[in-house]
Amino acid sequence: MTTQMTTQTKREIVLTGDRTTGKLHLGHYVGSLKNRLQLQRQYETYIMLADVQALTTHFHRPELLAESVRQVALDYLSVGIDPERSTIFVQSMIPEIAELTVIFSMFVTVSSLRHNPTVKHEAKERGYEDLYYGFLGYPVSQAADITAFKATLVPAGEDQIPHIEQARKIVRRFNELYAPVLVEPDILVGERLDGLDGGSKMSKSLGNAITLDASPEEVSMQIRKAKTDPARIHKTDPGHPDRCTVFGYHCIFRPEGSEDIRENCQKGAIGCAACKGMVTDAIEDVMQPIRERRETYKHRPRYIDEVLMAGTAKARSAARQTMGEVREAMGIHYF
Ligand code: ATP
Ligand code: MG
C-alpha cells in the first residue's frame, strides 16, 4: 500500500535505510531523504546503514562497505538527519535481523522472489544469470529489517514498492500461522530522479549521479554534460521537454518555473545552456546547506562513531524485544 504525506494521522514508526555501497546522491535526497527529514519531526524514526544488503552485490568488496558506513552516516548528518530524533544504526550489528530473515525464509517461495520486478530488473542491470541465494532473498531480509522494529511506514523510492508488498505478505502469513505480533508496513513513495545519462534512475552503481558532497564546480560541470533532447541541435529547434533529463530536474528542483521552461523549450525560445544554468542554481539551493553542515561534521569522526554506537544499541534493544515476541508466538522460546 502507498501513503501520501498529508494523510497520516496514526502513530507511525518509520524505518528506512541505504545500502552502504558508496556516497549518497541527489536521487537519494529526492526519493527518500527529503521525506525522512519531515517524518523525523513527528515520528519515531529508524535509519539503517544496510551493510548486509550491500554485501548481496558487493560481497567481494567488504572494504568498500566498511568505508561507506561512516561516509553514509556523514551524508545523513549533512542533509539534516538529527540523531536526537532519528536512530541511526548498522544492520550487521543487529543479529536479530538475521534470525528473523531465517525464519521468514521458511515460508517465502523462490518463485515469488524470482517474479519480483525490482529483483528481476536489478539482476538484469548487473548481468546476473545464476542468482546468488542472498541476492535473490534480499527482499526477505528487508522484510526482517522492517518488521524487527514494527515499522508502519517506509519512505523510499518507487523501486521499493514490490519489496514492501512482499514484506506485507510475509507479515500476514506469519501472523496467520503463529500469532498476530508483526505489523504490516506502508510505503511513502518519493519522487524518482533520473541519472545524468538519461533513462535509468540516478544510482551509485551506474556512475550517473551527482553525489551530495559535490562541489559547486562539479555540480555545474555535471549538469552541463547532462543528457538533453537528442533531436535538439540548435537553440531555435523546437525541443521535447518530456525526452529531456534536465527538464525532469526542473520539475523536481524548481517546479514553480517548469511550465515556463516547457513552453519556451517547445517554442525553441530558450537554449539548453540557459536552461541548465537555471536548474543548476536550483540544485545549488539544496546543496549549499548540505555542504555547510558537512564541513562541521566531517571533522568530528568520534562524534559520528558515538551516534552509530548509541543508535545501534537502541535499535538492538527494540529488535531483541520483537524477536522475543516472535519466538513466543512460534512456541520456540525454550528457556
Ligand atoms: P545501488 O546502486 O548500490 O543499489 P542506489 O543508488 O540504487 O545504490 P540504494 O541504497 O539502493 O541506492 O537506495 C536507497 C534508497 O534511495 C531507496 O529507497 C531507493 O528507492 C532510493 N533511491 C535511490 N536512487 C534513487 C533515485 N534515483 N531516485 C529516487 N529514489 C532513489
Ligand atoms: Mg539500489
Side-chain angles (χ1 to χ4, degrees), residues 154-175:
V154 181
E158 60 181 12
D159 56 315
Q160 299 298 307
I161 294 173
H163 300 339
I164 303 303
E165 202 37 58
Q166 176 71 262
R168 291 170 67 84
K169 277 194 197 135
I170 290 176
V171 169
R172 286 199 291 272
R173 190 81 182 112
F174 182 96
N175 287 350

Side-chain angles (χ1 to χ4, degrees), residues 19 122 126 159 201 203:
R19 284 154 44 86
E122 288 174 349
R126 294 175 191 279
D159 56 315
K201 76 169 180 120
S203 162

Side-chain angles (χ1 to χ4, degrees), residues 16-33 36 50 53-54 57-58 122 125-126 138 154-160 187 190-195 200-206 209:
T16 180
D18 302 278
R19 284 154 44 86
T20 54
T21 48
K23 298 172 186 170
L24 298 188
H25 51 67
L26 269 179
H28 294 110
Y29 180 80
V30 165
S32 176
L33 293 167
R36 296 180 205 178
Q53 192 172 322
T57 52
H58 289 64
E122 288 174 349
E125 211 169 56
R126 294 175 191 279
Y138 91 75
V154 181
E158 60 181 12
D159 56 315
Q160 299 298 307
I187 181 167
E191 291 169 296
R192 170 195 151 118
L193 193 69
D194 281 342
S200 48
K201 76 169 180 120
M202 188 174 279
S203 162
K204 292 191 211 93
S205 311
L206 298 177

